[in-house]
């Protein structure tokens, strides 16, 4: 039965409530290919404007206006909720009064109305009236009782009903907490989990029907602990944020910036919900509302949505923005101060969350900073341990909820292990803390950690013993494979890892995964190894970003020294390494994710296929640092244009390169990067065989499957290609476009200079239009233009600015 329900063709969904969350969920459903009905209330009367326009209450434009207005906002939202703006066509606005028959066609109905139990029960009653038998129904509550919501509903409704709590914004946040009731069938829960994971690309945890479920409960507790510790150790909000952000493997928003983002009133609501619904008096005391929060909210300082919270942005007399922070005690604002400390320096110097946390706790452990961090970690660990069996049965679900819902690098139990379970437990006892009974029993049995790794498997404590952690389907962990000895070869910048079935993965692990000589050397070593001993190669990694580009530091240094032979050697080494990948005698599939820029794109383009995650920001952006793509990127862009022109050739018009060349020129000249994997196709940087999959975590497994399929079909390596270029006539068209943009003020004179260089390369130089050239000819043009630009002062200024400030300079 479970397999039957999971395998049904889920195509139609309905979302009730077109507010921020409802619209966001509808957008993610549309991203996944669902046809979505977005519903809200029908108005009871016309506005004055509608009366003047002669509209009637029964007009569809009037009756559906709330949902339609939500779609209008959705289409303009930044950051975008949709992977592709065209996907909005998959969402149909409607209203509750008229949409009953249409609702009966939905396979999955999601209630996302206001967080009031009475209103939710009313809407769920309406859904029960119209839904078809077997349709899944979920509520997007963030903490109300799911059992209370389904009271009075039909038996079939109850069997197919659960909470599916999406985190905001639904496109970008991985976590979905599924909360079944006693009536929810295993079949329905499995179907919901499969749809959220495999269709929507989410990470699912199973939570119990308790106040605020898992992530918000532990997250809110952590914020309360941090508030109290900030006051206890007399720290500023800036100091607290400096210690509770990346230093602990958490987002840059840390604590107080995050509070401003989510809203101080929202935290108070979460606190109230736990306190009012908890039957544990000790916990009720933990969730006492802090006076500082109550005062700020009473004064309308709610955070970013009100313009002021713990921080606020002000303009000085010169109109320049400045950030101010609240001062404890007075609650007045003062200019925000940067935080300097040997402890923070030690954390920055350490690599990885575990090492950073240990550095904070061990560097001058008597300092207020170290004491502050120890206090909040200790409280979080103890609280999380006490919640096992209450908010979730598994420590894995608790850890995953905090990683996927709050973007922690390590969950509480993982971090506790990393710092040292036995040592920290002993310190807690010495400080008079009482550890949960199950933790004491676990330690008494001689165990040193909550998790253990055995070859490719990971085990965790559950009911007093280690049990195998069930991994998400189709997830290949490079870190776990390396830990189990699957590394085939390694250099300072990259590793070749056996991922099974005679396929290996080349993983970059240089700083920011930037491509330098260390990575290129690894490619040179990997190619013959793969050709001799493996069926194929996957190019992927598990870094924060796939690759932010080439290593510019060495390039700038050599350019400033005027060592042009060395600069040319760098370019030629890059180009020839990419050609080695392209000509490799075994199939190559690239699986990029997140930031894939410049050299990162150039590393992907030689692949036989590129499999992107939806959140892949893909672009040849070299013009932003005063250069052009010269690691084969310009050559591959011209090759793409030629291929499209050839595919569109007909007997009457013949080969028309120009429109296809114009497209890639615009993308490269403007330094455009995609806002999603789907958008990369619109930019003209992908081929027909390249595709986007919904689940980012499955991309390595999917790339491996693609390699095996290419090998199974009898792989033939790429040959040296000759292709037609637009030549001097095409270059003239491109340069005219550059000149027009300069005259309109859209670009600077130096932008125009770079654009002219790029036009020369993409058009194939000064040959006649339609001339066929070799790939090496195009690489030579790339190299020549790149060297020329490297010698320009303004290019060197742009590179230096990017390295210093992380953003482009338009000089």
């Amino acid at each position: 039965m479970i397999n039957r329900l999971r395998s049904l063709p889920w195509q139609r969904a309905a979302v009730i409530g077109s507010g921020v969350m409802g619209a966001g969920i509808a957008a993610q459903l549309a991203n996944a290919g669902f046809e979505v009905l977005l519903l809200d209330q029908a108005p009871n009367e016309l506005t004055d404007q509608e009366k003047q326009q002669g509209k009637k209450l029964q007009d569809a434009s009037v009756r559906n206006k709330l949902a339609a207005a939500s779609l209008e906002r959705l289409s303009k939202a930044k950051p975008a909720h949709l992977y592709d703006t065209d996907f909005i066509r998959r969402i149909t606005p409607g209203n509750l009064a008229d949409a009953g028959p249409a609702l009966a066609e939905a396979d999955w109905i999601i209630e996302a109305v206001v967080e009031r139990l009475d209103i939710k029960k009313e809407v769920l009653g309406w859904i029960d009236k119209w839904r078809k038998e077997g349709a899944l129904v979920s509520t997007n509550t963030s903490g109300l009782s799911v059992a209370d919501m389904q009271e009075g509903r039909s038996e079939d409704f109850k069997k197919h009903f659960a909470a599916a709590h999406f985190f905001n914004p639904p496109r970008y946040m991985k976590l979905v907490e599924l909360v079944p009731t006693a009536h929810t069938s295993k079949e329905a829960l499995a179907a919901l989990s499969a749809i959220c994971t495999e269709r929507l690309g989410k990470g699912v945890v199973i939570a119990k029907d308790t106040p605020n479920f898992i992530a918000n409960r532990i997250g809110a507790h952590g914020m309360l602990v941090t508030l109290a510790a900030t006051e206890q150790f007399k720290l500023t909000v800036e100091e607290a944020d400096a210690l509770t952000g990346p230093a602990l493997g958490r987002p840059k928003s840390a604590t107080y910036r995050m509070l401003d983002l989510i809203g101080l009133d929202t935290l108070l609501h979460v606190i109230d919900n736990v306190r009012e619904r908890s039957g544990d008096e000790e916990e009720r005391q933990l969730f006492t509302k802090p006076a500082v929060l109550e005062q700020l909210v009473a004064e309308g300082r709610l955070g970013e949505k009100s313009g002021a919270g713990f921080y606020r942005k002000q303009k000085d007399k010169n109109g320049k923005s400045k950030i101010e922070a609240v001062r404890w005690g007075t609650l007045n604002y003062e200019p925000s101060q940067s935080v300097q400390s040997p402890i923070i320096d030690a954390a920055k110097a350490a690599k990885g969350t575990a090492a950073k946390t240990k550095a904070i706790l061990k560097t001058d452990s008597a300092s207020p900073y170290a004491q502050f961090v120890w206090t909040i970690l200790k409280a979080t660990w103890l609280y999380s341990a006490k919640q096992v069996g209450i908010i979730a049965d598994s420590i894995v679900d608790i850890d995953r909820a905090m990683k996927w819902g709050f973007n922690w690098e390590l969950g509480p139990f993982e971090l506790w292990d990393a710092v040292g379970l036995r040592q920290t437990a002993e310190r807690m006892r010495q400080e008079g803390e009482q550890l949960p009974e199950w933790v004491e029993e676990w330690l008494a049995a001689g165990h040193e950690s909550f998790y253990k790794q055995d070859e490719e498997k990971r085990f965790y404590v559950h009911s007093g013993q280690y049990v195998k952690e069930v991994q998400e389907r189709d997830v290949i962990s490079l870190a776990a494979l390396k830990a189990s000895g699957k590394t085939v070869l390694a250099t300072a910048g990259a590793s070749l890892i056996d991922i099974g079935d005679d396929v290996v993965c080349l993983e970059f692990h240089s700083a920011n995964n930037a491509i330098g000589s260390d990575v290129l050397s690894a490619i040179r070593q990997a190619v013959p190894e793969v050709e001799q001993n493996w069926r194929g190669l996957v190019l992927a990694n598990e870094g924060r970003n796939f690759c932010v580009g080439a290593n510019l530091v060495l390039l700038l240094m050599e350019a400033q020294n005027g060592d042009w032979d060395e600069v040319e050697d760098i370019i030629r080494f890059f180009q020839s390494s990419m050609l080695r990948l392209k000509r490799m005698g075994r199939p190559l599939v690239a699986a990029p994710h997140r930031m894939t820029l410049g050299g990162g794109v150039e590393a992907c383009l030689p692949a036989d296929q590129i499999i992107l995650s939806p959140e892949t920001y893909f672009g040849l952006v070299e013009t932003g640092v005063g250069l052009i793509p010269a690691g084969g990127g310009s050559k591959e862009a011209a090759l793409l244009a030629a291929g499209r022109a050839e595919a569109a050739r007909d007997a009457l018009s013949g080969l028309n390169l120009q429109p296809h060349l114009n497209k890639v020129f615009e993308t490269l000249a403007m330094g455009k990067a995609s806002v999603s994997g789907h958008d990369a196709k619109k930019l003209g940087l992908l081929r027909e065989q390249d595709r986007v999959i919904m689940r980012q975590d499955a991309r390595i497994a999917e790339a491996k499957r693609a390699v095996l399929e290419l090998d199974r079909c009898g792989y033939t390596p790429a040959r040296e290609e000759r292709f037609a270029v637009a030549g001097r006539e095409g270059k003239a068209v491109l340069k005219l476009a550059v000149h027009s943009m300069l005259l309109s003020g859209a670009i600077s004179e130096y932008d125009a200079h770079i654009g002219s260089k790029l036009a020369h390369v993409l058009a194939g130089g000064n040959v006649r239009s339609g001339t066929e050239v070799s790939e090496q000819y195009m690489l030579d043009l790339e190299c020549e233009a790149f060297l020329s630009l490297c010698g320009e002062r303004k290019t060197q200024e742009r590179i230096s600015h990017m390295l210093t400030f992380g953003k482009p300079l338009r000089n």
Side-chain angles (χ1 to χ4, degrees):
M1 286 292 289
I2 290 177
N3 289 336
R4 181 196 68 79
L5 188 53
R6 287 181 60 176
S7 63
L8 288 175
W10 303 95
Q11 297 299 334
R12 297 182 180 275
V15 179
I16 318 298
S18 66
V20 172
M21 279 304 298
I25 293 169
Q28 189 62 14
L29 289 165
N31 286 335
F34 279 88
E35 293 295 325
V36 187
L37 186 62
L38 181 61
L39 304 178
D40 215 309
Q41 295 283 357
N44 295 319
E45 58 183 22
L46 295 170
T47 65
D48 290 340
Q49 184 179 11
E50 288 167 340
K51 290 175 183 176
Q52 291 171 4
Q53 293 170 343
K55 292 186 177 181
K56 298 179 180 179
L57 199 57
Q58 58 267 38
D59 290 348
S61 63
V62 174
R63 298 185 70 74
N64 301 335
K65 67 179 181 181
L66 290 180
S70 178
L71 288 185
E72 180 68 21
R73 292 191 295 271
L74 194 65
S75 67
K76 300 175 181 177
K78 292 193 182 302
H81 291 280
L82 293 161
Y83 295 148
D84 186 320
T85 53
D86 289 344
F87 291 173
I88 203 164
R89 298 173 186 170
R90 297 172 179 170
I91 308 175
T92 302
N95 69 85
L96 293 170
D98 303 328
L103 189 77
E105 298 178 13
D107 304 308
W108 181 17
I109 303 164
I110 301 170
E111 170 273 304
V113 300
V114 66
E115 280 285 274
R116 275 183 47 184
L117 184 60
D118 57 338
I119 295 176
K120 285 185 178 288
K121 291 184 73 170
E122 181 181 350
V123 170
L124 292 173
W126 177 81
I127 292 171
D128 197 7
K129 174 184 175 182
W130 288 103
R131 64 180 284 274
K132 66 183 177 185
E133 186 173 348
L136 296 174
V137 183
S138 63
T139 173
N140 189 55
T141 180
S142 60
L144 296 178
S145 169
V146 186
D148 288 350
M149 284 186 211
Q150 48 100 64
E151 288 179 352
R153 303 280 60 82
S154 67
E155 287 305 309
D156 188 74
F157 181 102
K158 290 179 179 179
K159 283 170 57 179
H160 295 88
F161 175 69
H165 178 215
F166 289 79
F167 272 59
N168 190 36
R171 168 181 166 176
Y172 298 98
M173 297 302 294
K174 181 176 178 177
L175 180 63
V176 173
E177 294 175 318
L178 290 185
V179 189
T181 72
H183 297 278
T184 309
S185 72
K186 291 181 180 179
E187 180 185 22
L189 187 63
L192 274 172
S193 180
I195 295 168
C196 289
T197 302
E198 296 171 21
R199 286 291 299 277
L200 303 186
K202 297 301 173 189
V204 168
V205 299
I206 306 299
K208 291 180 177 289
D209 191 4
T210 56
N212 298 103
F213 310 136
I214 302 175
N216 281 340
R217 185 144 170 187
I218 290 178
H221 172 267
M223 289 176 179
L224 290 175
V225 167
T226 304
L227 281 162
T230 303
E231 186 171 16
Q232 176 186 350
F233 293 102
K234 297 180 171 34
L235 304 189
T236 64
V237 297
E238 301 100 308
E239 289 173 318
D241 274 354
L243 292 163
T244 58
L248 290 185
R250 298 178 186 178
K252 290 181 181 179
S253 52
T255 300
Y256 291 99
R257 285 185 176 84
M258 180 175 286
L259 271 170
D260 280 354
L261 286 170
I262 66 175
L264 276 58
D265 54 333
T266 302
L267 179 60
L268 284 182
H269 174 74
V270 172
I271 293 168
D272 283 338
N273 191 43
V274 176
R275 191 180 63 258
E276 291 168 8
R277 290 183 57 203
S278 177
D280 184 334
E281 185 56 37
E282 182 182 350
E283 184 170 55
R284 288 170 58 84
Q285 292 299 317
L286 286 174
F287 281 81
T288 299
K289 291 186 284 190
V292 63
L293 272 187
E294 290 192 293
Q295 184 174 341
L296 288 171
V297 170
E299 294 172 359
R301 293 192 268 177
L302 310 180
E304 195 167 273
K305 60 188 174 185
S306 68
F310 283 101
Y311 293 94
R312 72 176 182 184
K313 186 181 290 186
Q314 296 284 94
K315 289 190 176 180
D316 60 22
K317 58 184 179 181
N318 298 318
K320 186 177 180 181
S321 293
K322 60 178 182 178
I323 304 297
E324 297 180 332
V326 154
R327 290 292 167 251
W328 224 263
T330 65
L331 295 190
N332 294 328
Y333 290 100
E334 293 182 7
S336 180
Q337 303 295 317
S338 62
V339 181
Q340 304 294 329
S341 163
I343 286 179
I344 293 173
D345 291 342
K348 288 179 179 178
K351 291 186 177 181
T353 298
K356 289 178 182 295
T357 306
K358 288 179 180 179
I360 292 174
L361 296 177
K362 291 181 179 179
T363 305
D364 190 10
S365 59
S367 78
Y369 285 1
Q371 291 293 320
F372 167 82
V373 169
W374 166 250
T375 298
I376 61 175
L377 287 179
K378 175 177 69 173
T380 299
W381 292 336
L382 288 172
Y383 184 74
S384 299
K386 289 175 183 176
Q387 299 311 307
V388 175
I390 297 175
I391 64 175
D393 285 330
S394 164
I395 69 166
V396 174
D397 279 339
I398 292 175
D399 278 344
R400 287 177 175 176
M402 299 315 297
K403 290 190 291 185
W404 296 343
F406 277 72
N407 291 322
W408 291 8
E409 292 288 338
L410 296 175
F413 295 99
E414 290 174 325
L415 185 58
W416 200 349
D417 270 1
V419 175
L421 172 58
R422 188 168 294 279
Q423 307 93 287
T424 53
E426 180 56 34
R427 180 175 175 180
M428 291 178 195
R429 294 190 200 100
Q430 292 174 1
E431 294 174 355
E433 303 290 353
Q434 184 175 357
L435 276 73
E437 185 177 347
W438 74 267
V439 176
E440 289 285 19
E441 290 174 353
W442 185 247
L443 288 166
H447 299 292
E448 300 293 329
S449 63
F450 295 116
Y451 292 91
K452 72 173 182 178
Q453 187 80 34
D454 180 12
E455 294 184 354
E456 296 175 31
K457 307 179 192 69
R458 192 164 85 142
F459 298 81
Y460 68 98
V461 58
H462 184 71
S463 300
Q465 61 183 344
Y466 276 123
V467 296
K468 182 181 175 182
E469 180 181 345
V470 178
Q471 295 292 339
E472 294 180 275
R473 190 178 71 83
D474 275 354
V475 174
I476 292 175
S477 169
L478 299 180
L481 289 169
K482 287 194 292 185
S484 61
K486 297 294 184 179
T487 301
V488 176
L489 63 85
T491 71
S495 294
L496 196 64
I497 304 158
D498 179 358
I499 58 175
D501 297 310
D502 293 325
V503 178
V504 281
C505 177
L506 184 63
E507 173 204 39
F508 301 165
H509 46 65
S510 57
N512 294 317
N513 286 345
I515 298 178
S517 59
D518 51 356
V519 172
L520 297 175
S521 296
I523 290 171
R524 296 296 188 112
Q525 294 177 54
V527 169
E529 168 67 26
V530 174
E531 288 178 325
Q532 293 170 25
N533 300 310
W534 305 88
R535 293 174 69 183
L537 176 66
V538 168
L539 187 63
N541 63 66
E542 295 172 331
R544 178 171 178 78
N545 298 300
F546 174 75
C547 176
V548 297
N551 189 335
L552 294 174
V553 176
L554 178 60
L555 179 69
L556 177 62
M557 182 177 68
E558 300 294 355
Q560 288 176 334
N561 290 337
D563 195 342
W564 304 117
D565 288 342
E566 185 64 31
V567 174
E568 182 171 0
D569 286 345
I570 292 171
I571 302 166
R572 296 294 187 186
F573 189 45
F574 200 127
Q575 290 179 338
S576 60
S577 298
M578 297 305 106
L579 272 183
R580 291 285 294 275
L581 281 177
K582 187 170 184 176
R583 304 276 184 267
M584 186 172 64
R586 299 289 184 180
L588 167 65
V589 177
H593 67 287
R594 293 186 60 83
M595 303 294 283
T596 304
L597 304 175
V601 173
E602 290 176 313
C604 291
L605 291 177
D608 299 291
Q609 188 176 13
I610 304 172
I611 293 175
L612 304 93
S613 74
E615 302 302 339
T616 304
Y617 316 124
F618 199 80
L620 291 164
V621 296
E622 284 84 348
T623 56
V625 289
L627 297 168
I628 68 161
S634 295
K635 177 260 294 182
E636 290 291 333
L639 190 54
L640 284 169
R644 290 175 188 134
E646 187 63 42
R649 181 202 287 263
D650 59 46
L652 292 176
S653 60
L655 186 69
N656 185 7
L657 278 163
Q658 199 66 52
H660 306 284
L661 184 63
N662 292 348
K663 178 66 177 177
V664 295
F665 174 73
E666 179 187 354
T667 296
L668 271 60
M670 300 303 292
K672 291 182 178 180
S674 70
V675 295
S676 71
H678 295 84
D679 188 50
K681 291 187 175 183
K682 287 192 167 184
L683 293 182
L685 296 175
L686 299 179
R687 305 152 300 184
E688 285 299 316
Q689 69 266 34
D690 301 326
R691 56 195 174 91
V692 182
I693 63 169
M694 281 297 293
R695 291 182 63 205
Q696 173 170 304
D697 291 343
R699 65 198 157 76
I700 299 176
E702 187 65 22
K704 174 184 164 182
R705 269 194 292 273
V707 165
L708 292 171
E709 180 62 15
L710 287 165
D711 178 66
R712 187 188 67 80
C713 293
Y715 180 72
T716 302
R719 298 172 57 192
E720 169 72 23
E721 294 191 64
R722 294 186 67 84
F723 58 96
V725 292
R728 51 180 173 264
E729 296 89 347
K731 179 170 71 170
V733 174
L734 299 182
K735 293 185 75 170
L736 180 61
V738 171
H739 186 63
S740 297
M741 292 184 71
L742 178 61
L743 291 178
S744 69
I747 60 175
S748 69
E749 287 190 9
Y750 197 62
D751 289 328
H753 176 62
I754 300 165
S756 296
K757 294 276 188 182
L758 179 64
H760 177 76
V761 174
L762 289 180
N766 293 319
V767 298
R768 285 188 303 176
S769 180
T771 299
E772 289 194 349
V773 300
S774 68
E775 290 185 70
Q776 188 57 55
Y777 170 83
M778 293 296 289
L779 290 174
D780 291 342
L781 288 181
E782 277 187 2
C783 185
E784 180 185 359
F786 191 93
L787 279 168
S788 172
L789 288 168
C790 277
E792 302 266 6
R793 177 181 56 82
K794 288 189 175 182
T795 285
Q796 294 177 19
E797 288 174 353
R798 288 191 177 196
I799 295 173
S800 179
H801 190 273
M802 178 62 76
L803 290 171
T804 304
F805 300 104
K807 44 189 179 181
L809 169 69
R810 291 297 179 192
N811 53 356

